[in-house]
C-alpha cells in the first residue's frame, strides 16, 4: 500500500456524510481495494492515533476523533443530522471539522443533569461550564477510550 | 474526560471516585483545542499534532501546568 491517505479520507468522508463509522469491508468496496490492504491502513491509522478500533474487532471503528462510532453522552446535531462524539473536546471538534454550527446535548459528569452546548456563527455560546480530564496528557493514549 | 456544570460538581465527582482534581478547562479553551486538533481533519494533510506541537498549543491557550506536558508521566 502506497499511502493510507485515500483510506483516511474515505473514513472521514463517510463519518461526515452518514454520521456512522465505516467498516474495513465498506471502505474496501468503496475504494475498490483489497480488504487486506484496507485493514493494514486501519492499523496504520490507529498507530497514527487517527482512529481507535472496536475492542476485539479491528475491522470496525470505535472512534475516528472527533467522531464516535457508537452512541455516547455527547450528541451533536448539525442541520438535523445527529453525530456522536467521545467527549466535549471532540463534540466541539465536530463543529470544527465540519465548519458548521452545532447543538450538543450532553449531561453533567457527576449529577447526570442535562446540559446543552452550542456553536453559533462559528463561535461557542459562552457558558460557565468546565471540562475535567482525569488522566494527564502524557497518558491519554494508554487507554484513550477511558480518557 | 467529562463536562461539568461547575467546579463544585467536579470536586464532588473527584471525591466520589477518589481521584485527584486536575486543572480545569473552560469553554473557550476547549473550543480552541477543538479547532487546533480538528479544523483540517477532513483534509489530505490532516494528522494528530506531535508532542512538541501539542505543548505549544497548550501553552498558547493558557494550559501551562505540568499536567499538560505530553512527554511527562510524573503524576
Amino acid at each position: 500500500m502506497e499511502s493510507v491517505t485515500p483510506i483516511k479520507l474515505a473514513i472521514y468522508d463517510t463519518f461526515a456524510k452518514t454520521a456512522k463509522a465505516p467498516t474495513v469491508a465498506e471502505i474496501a468496496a468503496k475504494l475498490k481495494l483489497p480488504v487486506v490492504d484496507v485493514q493494514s491502513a486501519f492499523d496504520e491509522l490507529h498507530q497514527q492515533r487517527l482512529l481507535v478500533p472496536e475492542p476485539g474487532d479491528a475491522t470496525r471503528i470505535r472512534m475516528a476523533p472527533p467522531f464516535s462510532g457508537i452512541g455516547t453522552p455527547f450528541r451533536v446535531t448539525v442541520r438535523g443530522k445527529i453525530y456522536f462524539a467521545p467527549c466535549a473536546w471532540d463534540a466541539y471538534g465536530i463543529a470544527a471539522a465540519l465548519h458548521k454550527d452545532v447543538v450538543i446535548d450532553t449531561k453533567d459528569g457527576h449529577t447526570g443533569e442535562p446540559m446543552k452546548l452550542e456553536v453559533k456563527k462559528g463561535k461557542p455560546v459562552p457558558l460557565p461550564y468546565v471540562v475535567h480530564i482525569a488522566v494527564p496528557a502524557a497518558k491519554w493514549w494508554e487507554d484513550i477510550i477511558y480518557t | 474526560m467529562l463536562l461539568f456544570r461547575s467546579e463544585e460538581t467536579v470536586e464532588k465527582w473527584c471525591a466520589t471516585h477518589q481521584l485527584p482534581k486536575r486543572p480545569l478547562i473552560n469553554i473557550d479553551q476547549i473550543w480552541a483545542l477543538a479547532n487546533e486538533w480538528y479544523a483540517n481533519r477532513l483534509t489530505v494533510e490532516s494528522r494528530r499534532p506531535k508532542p512538541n506541537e501539542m505543548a505549544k498549543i497548550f501553552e498558547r491557550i493558557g494550559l501551562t501546568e505540568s499536567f499538560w506536558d505530553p512527554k511527562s508521566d510524573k503524576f
Side-chain angles (χ1 to χ4, degrees), chain B residues 57-69:
Chain B
I57 292 168
F58 294 149
E59 184 177 4
R60 188 159 61 240
I61 64 177
L63 303 173
T64 54
E65 297 91 343
S66 56
F67 176 86
W68 295 101
D69 181 351

Side-chain angles (χ1 to χ4, degrees), chain B residues 3 16-17 26 33 37 40-41 48 56 71:
Chain B
L3 178 72
T16 299
H17 296 275
N26 66 37
L33 288 172
W37 249 249
N40 73 346
R41 186 50 62 100
R48 189 171 189 271
K56 288 177 183 172
K71 287 176 278 191

Side-chain angles (χ1 to χ4, degrees), chain A residues 76-90:
Chain A
V76 183
T77 304
V78 185
R79 294 183 178 176
K81 188 177 290 183
I82 295 172
Y83 299 83
F84 288 96
C87 62
W89 180 341
D90 288 355

Side-chain angles (χ1 to χ4, degrees), chain B residues 6-37:
Chain B
S6 66
E7 186 167 356
E8 182 184 1
T9 61
V10 174
E11 289 166 353
K12 288 179 178 174
W13 182 87
C14 290
T16 299
H17 296 275
Q18 298 185 302
L19 290 170
K21 181 182 167 190
R22 304 298 196 178
L24 300 181
I25 315 163
N26 66 37
I27 291 296
D28 285 341
Q29 289 170 319
I30 205 78
W31 172 247
L33 288 172
N35 277 277
E36 293 279 4
W37 249 249

Side-chain angles (χ1 to χ4, degrees), chain A residues 8 12 50 65 89-90 92 97 99 108-110 113-115 122 129-138 141 147, chain B residues 1-5 9 12-13 16 22 25 27 30-31 33-34 37-39 41-44 46 48 67 70 72:
Chain A
K8 175 184 76 175
Y12 278 105
L50 290 174
W89 180 341
D90 288 355
Y92 277 136
H99 302 281
D108 181 277
H110 181 63
E113 181 184 359
M115 297 167 65
Y129 302 158
V130 293
V131 169
H132 180 264
I133 307 176
V135 182
W141 275 79
T147 299
Chain B
M1 183 184 309
L2 295 170
L3 178 72
F4 295 89
R5 183 168 293 280
T9 61
K12 288 179 178 174
W13 182 87
T16 299
R22 304 298 196 178
I25 315 163
I27 291 296
I30 205 78
W31 172 247
L33 288 172
W37 249 249
Y38 297 122
R41 186 50 62 100
L42 272 59
T43 68
V44 170
S46 71
R48 189 171 189 271
F67 176 86
S72 169

